[in-house]
Amino acid sequence: SAVTGDVLAANPLASGGISWVSSENISPITNGSFNIWQRGATFPALASGGYCADRFKLVNTSAAVLTVNRSTDVPTVAEAGQLFNYSLEVDITTADASIAAGDVCGVQTVIEGFNWRGFAQRALVISCWVKSPKTGTHSIGLSNTGANRTYVGTYTINAANTWEYKYILVAASPAAGTWDYLTGAGCIVTISLAGGADYAIIADDWRTTAFGNSPVTLGHVNCLDSTSNYFRIAGLKMELGTVPTPIRYTSFEDELARCQRYYQKSFAIGTAPAQNVGVVSGSYGFGAWRAGALLMQGGSMLFPSRMRAAPTVTLYNPSAANAQMRDVTAGVDCSSTLTAA
């Protein structure tokens, strides 16, 4: 039979290549290949809510201490049918062998309402490559912005510390509940590492009980129980329908622009934002309109991508740790620097 527009293999990995899909089915999960790491490549003892890879953050209320890394341990081309540069790695540096009822831990991404709208109230599938230290039941949770509609899908790890391709089917989200289809949080997706009884729900159905934004399934394994444990994820994708397909190739420039809608920097792409890293870092520079011993007026800049909302601007001094603008000609710092966005 002839197929026009889209090509869908019965086994999405059997073709050994990157599949072309229609623009309607582009994954609303930004940076699912984990190529963009504007904030840095390693995040020791990352606090709950702290971002790591662009569009991804750690959620952790357990006693475990975790480091998130950009890892080059990825599925092989023979396994995945394509080459991945990076995976997101969670390294357990302080273990928690007994998860309390109110504890959760996972890697979370938020899909903006505008991007979620095309997937809302429609059946979908989430797929990824996972390398877990624990065999058994794992889960991926979804919730709305009001945390009053939650869903959990499960997958099983068959071999510990081995790359495995997994997917969950998600029933069409309900119209009822507190959903945002504009610039807020449309859908919150959590790849869980552990979870307590207070957040555990029966899988494969949308629930109305407030389980928070990080629901897990009953019987979820504890990936945090040893300091020798690592959890890695690669090639995360959401798409319409019930059959997973390989993650769509997106150019680095396009993926970076999608990420810059939420976070951007003036540093070079490979330089993590920090104080006192030198002037050759890609930072913005301004010609002085008026200079004096106590006053210097600067200029304005245009962001390379239109941001979702008015940003919070953090200043970094290239030659000191005082977060003030630097007069590189005079070799002195401004005594006061203000920004407006």
Side-chain angles (χ1 to χ4, degrees), residues 12-13 15 17-19 21 80 82 127 165 237 239 244-248:
L13 303 181
S15 60
I18 301 172
S19 65
V21 298
Q82 60 177 290
S127 58
Y165 182 74
K237 180 184 182 183
E239 59 191 308
T245 62
I247 192 167
R248 181 180 186 270

Side-chain angles (χ1 to χ4, degrees), residues 235-258:
L236 178 65
K237 180 184 182 183
M238 175 187 289
E239 59 191 308
L240 297 173
T242 58
V243 179
T245 62
I247 192 167
R248 181 180 186 270
Y249 170 77
T250 303
S251 71
F252 183 85
E253 301 95 305
D254 289 344
E255 199 71 82
L256 176 60
R258 292 180 69 190

Side-chain angles (χ1 to χ4, degrees), residues 285-307:
F286 304 99
W289 292 352
R290 185 177 68 190
L294 300 178
L295 178 65
M296 172 191 259
Q297 290 186 346
S300 61
M301 69 184 73
L302 294 176
F303 295 141
S305 297
R306 185 176 293 275
M307 304 201 76

Side-chain angles (χ1 to χ4, degrees), residues 248-319:
R248 181 180 186 270
Y249 170 77
T250 303
S251 71
F252 183 85
E253 301 95 305
D254 289 344
E255 199 71 82
L256 176 60
R258 292 180 69 190
C259 293
Q260 287 175 329
R261 176 166 171 78
Y262 308 95
Y263 176 89
Q264 51 189 270
K265 62 182 182 178
S266 62
F267 292 81
I269 191 64
T271 302
Q275 303 289 349
N276 200 24
V277 297
V279 295
V280 186
S281 62
S283 57
Y284 284 114
F286 304 99
W289 292 352
R290 185 177 68 190
L294 300 178
L295 178 65
M296 172 191 259
Q297 290 186 346
S300 61
M301 69 184 73
L302 294 176
F303 295 141
S305 297
R306 185 176 293 275
M307 304 201 76
R308 181 190 66 87
T312 299
V313 179
T314 302
L315 293 174
Y316 296 89
N317 189 323
S319 302

Side-chain angles (χ1 to χ4, degrees), residues 279 286-288 291 296 326-333:
V279 295
F286 304 99
M296 172 191 259
R326 177 80 170 176
D327 182 343
V328 295
T329 301
V332 295
D333 301 326

Side-chain angles (χ1 to χ4, degrees), residues 3-337:
V3 179
T4 302
D6 298 335
V7 177
L8 182 63
N11 179 351
L13 303 181
S15 60
I18 301 172
S19 65
W20 292 97
V21 298
S22 68
S23 58
E24 177 190 11
N25 222 12
I26 294 175
S27 176
I29 295 176
T30 302
N31 199 30
S33 291
F34 301 104
N35 281 321
I36 314 298
W37 295 71
Q38 292 190 87
R39 295 171 177 85
T42 184
F43 303 84
L46 185 62
S48 183
Y51 280 88
C52 41
D54 277 58
R55 303 304 301 137
F56 289 87
K57 60 184 176 181
L58 180 69
V59 176
N60 178 33
T61 61
S62 75
V65 178
L66 310 173
T67 293
V68 178
N69 299 308
R70 183 181 68 188
S71 174
T72 56
D73 182 2
V74 295
T76 65
V77 174
E79 291 170 328
Q82 60 177 290
L83 177 64
F84 290 112
N85 284 325
Y86 304 115
S87 64
L88 185 151
E89 173 188 273
V90 181
D91 175 16
I92 291 78
T93 55
T94 299
D96 185 352
S98 181
I99 301 297
D103 285 343
V104 292
C105 182
V107 177
Q108 190 174 90
T109 186
V110 178
I111 301 173
E112 184 179 337
F114 277 123
N115 298 328
W116 167 246
R117 181 184 58 81
F119 293 76
Q121 301 175 41
R122 304 172 73 179
L124 56 89
V125 57
I126 297 175
S127 58
C128 58
W129 284 88
V130 175
K131 193 172 191 179
S132 172
K134 308 286 288 187
T135 59
T137 301
H138 293 60
S139 62
I140 298 176
L142 294 84
S143 70
N144 62 356
T145 187
N148 52 27
R149 295 296 186 275
T150 53
Y151 186 99
V152 167
T154 64
Y155 62 92
T156 301
I157 293 295
N158 301 305
N161 301 313
T162 303
W163 281 110
E164 296 181 352
Y165 182 74
K166 303 297 177 181
Y167 66 91
I168 66 166
L169 302 179
V170 181
S173 60
T178 308
W179 298 93
D180 190 311
Y181 300 119
L182 300 174
T183 60
C187 182
I188 301 164
V189 180
T190 305
I191 299 91
S192 300
L193 278 69
D198 291 352
Y199 291 90
I201 64 177
I202 299 174
D204 302 327
D205 195 10
W206 286 95
R207 306 291 172 175
T208 58
T209 307
F211 288 97
N213 291 129
S214 305
V216 297
T217 188
L218 297 167
H220 193 293
V221 299
N222 179 12
C223 296
L224 312 178
D225 62 358
S226 172
T227 56
S228 63
N229 290 354
Y230 292 84
F231 183 92
R232 300 181 180 98
I233 183 170
L236 178 65
K237 180 184 182 183
M238 175 187 289
E239 59 191 308
L240 297 173
T242 58
V243 179
T245 62
I247 192 167
R248 181 180 186 270
Y249 170 77
T250 303
S251 71
F252 183 85
E253 301 95 305
D254 289 344
E255 199 71 82
L256 176 60
R258 292 180 69 190
C259 293
Q260 287 175 329
R261 176 166 171 78
Y262 308 95
Y263 176 89
Q264 51 189 270
K265 62 182 182 178
S266 62
F267 292 81
I269 191 64
T271 302
Q275 303 289 349
N276 200 24
V277 297
V279 295
V280 186
S281 62
S283 57
Y284 284 114
F286 304 99
W289 292 352
R290 185 177 68 190
L294 300 178
L295 178 65
M296 172 191 259
Q297 290 186 346
S300 61
M301 69 184 73
L302 294 176
F303 295 141
S305 297
R306 185 176 293 275
M307 304 201 76
R308 181 190 66 87
T312 299
V313 179
T314 302
L315 293 174
Y316 296 89
N317 189 323
S319 302
N322 56 22
Q324 299 293 342
M325 188 172 288
R326 177 80 170 176
D327 182 343
V328 295
T329 301
V332 295
D333 301 326
C334 295
S335 58
S336 179
T337 309

